[in-house]
Amino acid sequence: MSANLERDEWGGYASYILGMTKKVAAQADAGNTPINTKTLNLGWMIGFVLVVSFVGLFSILPLRRWFFTAADGCGFASFPTFGLQAFKYNFYFDFSSTYVGVGMICPYIINLSMLLGSVISWGIMWPLIEKKQGDWYTAGGMRGLQGYKVFVAIAMILGDGLYHFVAVFAKTSISLIKNLRENRDGSMTDPLSLENESLSYDDKRRIKYFTQDQIPMSVALGGYALLAIISIITVPYIFTQLKWYHILVIYLVAPILAFCNSYGCGLTDWSLASNYGKIAIFVFGSWVGMEKGGVVAGLAACGVMMSIVSTASDLMQDFKTGYLTLASPRSMFCSQVIGTLMGCIISPVVFWVFFYKAYPTLGEPGSSFPAPFGLLYRGIALIGTEGTAALPKHCLEIALGFLLLAVLLNLLRDVLCHFKISAHKYVPSAMAMAIPFYLGGYFTIDMCVGSLIRFIWEKKDKKKAEAFVPAMASGLICGDSIWGLPAAVLSLAKVKPPICMKFLSRSANAKVDGFLGG
């Protein structure tokens, strides 16, 4: 679960695409210029994902063997559980059945890590840094307190991601070298060889079915080349900040990274697609430069890279499933193409309705849907184009300190695991700690409530808890999600409930009573 907390799907609607919008750009003082923003349009969104989403499927084919309220802040969703002062710093229980359900199925260490991150950031750091206003910072937005929140969170995420990037790359390299050494002629061992006497009857039967319906190499190479040419022509038309040679470089490098990500994911069950995307942000953002729209260029390049690398890894996982279930690789590939095509049309339409029609406050701080990763990805792009000059005072030092902390936490866990010391189970997850640094602690409270329910249940009846916790959690999540549809319809129809519930301090309540009393 920790591996997926920050993992973004290849569509990127909550990350790099949202990071291009004027709404998110307005939260970051630097780079808020027309050339560094992109107006969302259903046409170019569908066109973009159609162009870049299929390439990853072809890039890896040669390797296949191997609550409804009147407004924000109204209702029990904003109940000051621990008092108004704690509520000010986002510590409250917001009665979200989704987060409670997720907390029930998340490992305890993930939920506790997020709670620890909430306490460190919103309970200690941000109140202390607020007192430095006028000394450390004077402006708002990314050059003020917002900058500390975003870039410290980015630093922890990057530290965690870079550590796993190096670790996975090292494991992948060692595995490949070992495989090559075992074969004097330099060829790699084919795990699907029927001549392998150590294979069981079931494995040999799976291999027979999996290898009899092959996809020609010419289809893979030709499909990749054709889609690359189409992308080189069309992507610069959609994003004028990118040139054809930028896209060419991405498509030359992407197959290597797709292989590394797919192979590494198979070894470690950890996809690094978002980390490859962040590398693309830095490289192409700095290459284009702020004046020529490096922010949008970096975010768009991130989208292309993540699409190729992520879909390649997903396809290899599907092939593995097909191998185990005696399914045809060709039929699985065709199904993946059809599913990708449907996603390229359905996902932008749903996002368009959600963003512009149902919830126009999406992406705004303090709203029900702040979409923090849009600002995080834009922050990364700003660093890539501007450098550390965009940061408020001491922000770089604090961010580097937390980046180092993320590396040390991962290193400590791996060392304890290597020596089989059980204390590794209690080392916090740096990725999980980083998420509430920007969002706040409200959702971590919900998730910890879910963990508490599960913990008590397991103490009372462990077998029943193991059997029914996933079902109960799924019911909570699905029920909340199903309510999202009628809530969106009511919002589109501009229907408002007749009552709004708010919680005020005694002094504020006296003022309101005095005002209403005339």
Side-chain angles (χ1 to χ4, degrees):
M1 180 67 185
S2 62
N4 294 320
L5 280 171
E6 193 259 340
R7 181 178 173 185
D8 213 336
E9 294 301 323
W10 53 264
Y13 303 106
S15 56
Y16 62 84
I17 286 182
L18 199 58
M20 302 177 186
T21 63
K22 295 179 180 178
K23 187 180 295 185
V24 173
Q27 301 174 43
D29 301 329
N32 188 8
T33 57
I35 199 170
N36 283 301
T37 57
K38 181 77 173 176
T39 301
L40 297 188
N41 179 281
L42 195 57
W44 76 253
M45 283 196 296
I46 294 177
F48 177 65
V49 294
L50 277 172
V51 168
V52 303
S53 296
F54 295 92
V55 185
L57 303 180
F58 289 91
S59 69
I60 205 66
L61 268 180
L63 307 172
R64 66 189 177 277
R65 304 183 66 179
W66 283 83
F67 285 53
F68 177 46
T69 54
D72 293 331
C74 178
F76 274 107
S78 299
F79 181 73
T81 319
F82 308 108
L84 292 172
Q85 187 64 20
F87 180 80
K88 175 184 176 183
Y89 289 102
N90 283 340
F91 280 99
Y92 59 92
F93 177 59
D94 75 343
F95 296 87
S96 169
S97 62
T98 294
Y99 288 133
V100 173
V102 171
M104 292 179 69
I105 58 178
C106 270
Y108 293 127
I109 190 62
I110 296 299
N111 295 338
L112 293 176
S113 295
M114 288 193 290
L115 182 61
L116 177 62
S118 302
V119 173
I120 292 175
S121 56
W122 292 87
I124 300 173
M125 288 181 59
W126 307 152
L128 292 176
I129 292 178
E130 275 186 345
K131 296 179 180 179
K132 298 292 184 180
Q133 185 173 4
D135 180 15
W136 286 15
Y137 65 95
T138 55
M142 296 295 287
R143 298 185 185 274
L145 185 61
Q146 187 87 325
Y148 294 97
K149 296 177 182 178
V150 171
F151 289 112
V152 172
I154 289 174
M156 290 199 74
I157 291 172
L158 285 178
D160 188 271
L162 289 173
Y163 179 88
H164 285 94
F165 178 88
V166 174
V168 170
F169 186 80
K171 292 178 182 178
T172 303
S173 302
I174 292 171
S175 178
L176 288 172
I177 293 171
K178 181 180 179 181
N179 195 306
L180 290 171
R181 284 179 176 176
E182 291 175 352
N183 297 272
R184 301 288 183 178
D185 58 356
S187 62
M188 297 185 68
T189 300
D190 188 356
L192 301 182
S193 175
L194 287 172
E195 299 176 359
N196 192 338
E197 296 181 357
S198 63
L199 293 175
S200 65
Y201 170 78
D202 289 339
D203 285 335
K204 289 183 178 180
R205 187 163 176 258
R206 291 190 183 101
I207 291 171
K208 181 181 178 180
Y209 275 90
F210 191 73
T211 56
Q212 70 182 5
D213 194 11
Q214 291 298 305
I215 304 170
M217 183 72 70
S218 58
V219 173
L221 298 178
Y224 187 86
L226 177 62
L227 290 172
I229 293 172
I230 295 174
S231 296
I232 290 170
I233 296 172
T234 57
V235 172
Y237 177 77
I238 298 173
F239 299 101
T240 56
Q241 296 86 347
L242 285 172
K243 306 302 179 185
W244 65 269
Y245 47 84
H246 296 140
I247 309 301
L248 176 61
V249 170
I250 293 176
Y251 278 88
L252 290 175
V253 176
I256 301 173
L257 300 182
F259 168 76
C260 292
N261 189 53
S262 300
Y263 193 88
C265 186
L267 290 175
T268 65
D269 195 32
W270 187 288
S271 176
L272 299 173
S274 62
N275 291 286
Y276 290 111
K278 294 184 184 73
I279 293 173
I281 292 179
F282 279 110
V283 172
F284 292 93
S286 60
W287 187 354
V288 175
M290 175 69 77
E291 295 77 13
K292 296 182 180 180
V295 175
V296 170
L299 293 171
C302 167
V304 177
M305 184 65 76
M306 282 181 60
S307 174
I308 298 173
V309 174
S310 179
T311 52
S313 175
D314 292 342
L315 182 61
M316 290 304 291
Q317 292 178 343
D318 291 342
F319 277 151
K320 178 63 175 180
T321 304
Y323 165 76
L324 294 173
T325 58
L326 302 178
S328 163
R330 188 177 296 180
S331 65
M332 294 200 69
F333 176 75
C334 293
S335 300
Q336 189 91 357
V337 170
I338 294 172
T340 302
L341 178 62
M342 293 174 62
C344 289
I345 298 173
I346 296 173
S347 295
V349 172
V350 171
F351 177 74
W352 175 265
V353 173
F354 197 80
F355 185 79
Y356 277 106
K357 302 298 182 181
Y359 299 102
T361 60
L362 175 68
E364 295 179 0
S367 68
S368 299
F369 304 95
F373 279 110
L375 188 58
L376 284 173
Y377 273 69
R378 188 172 184 87
I380 295 173
L382 286 171
I383 295 176
T385 56
E386 278 196 73
T388 58
L391 305 179
K393 191 175 180 180
H394 298 303
C395 182
L396 178 62
E397 292 88 341
I398 297 173
L400 289 176
F402 277 91
L403 187 148
L404 180 61
L405 175 63
V407 173
L408 292 176
L409 286 174
N410 282 288
L411 183 61
L412 175 61
R413 185 188 300 109
D414 285 352
V415 170
L416 293 175
C417 285
H418 179 75
F419 291 102
K420 298 181 180 179
I421 301 174
S422 60
H424 72 85
K425 297 183 294 185
Y426 305 104
V427 178
S429 166
M431 185 73 74
M433 286 178 62
I435 294 175
F437 268 65
Y438 174 70
L439 278 178
Y442 66 94
F443 71 98
T444 67
I445 304 296
D446 295 0
M447 294 180 69
C448 285
V449 169
S451 283
L452 181 61
I453 294 172
R454 176 184 171 186
F455 179 79
I456 296 174
W457 200 345
E458 287 179 344
K459 288 296 182 182
K460 288 182 174 294
D461 193 329
K462 187 173 180 64
K463 289 186 177 180
K464 281 190 176 181
E466 291 177 351
F468 293 110
V469 159
M472 181 177 177
S474 299
L476 289 170
I477 297 169
C478 291
D480 201 23
S481 300
I482 291 172
W483 168 243
L485 180 59
V489 172
L490 291 171
S491 179
L492 285 170
K494 301 186 184 302
V495 176
K496 300 292 184 181
I499 298 174
C500 178
M501 182 189 300
K502 285 186 177 292
F503 304 91
L504 307 173
S505 65
R506 183 181 299 276
S507 59
N509 184 68
K511 292 178 181 179
V512 171
D513 286 344
F515 174 79
L516 293 177

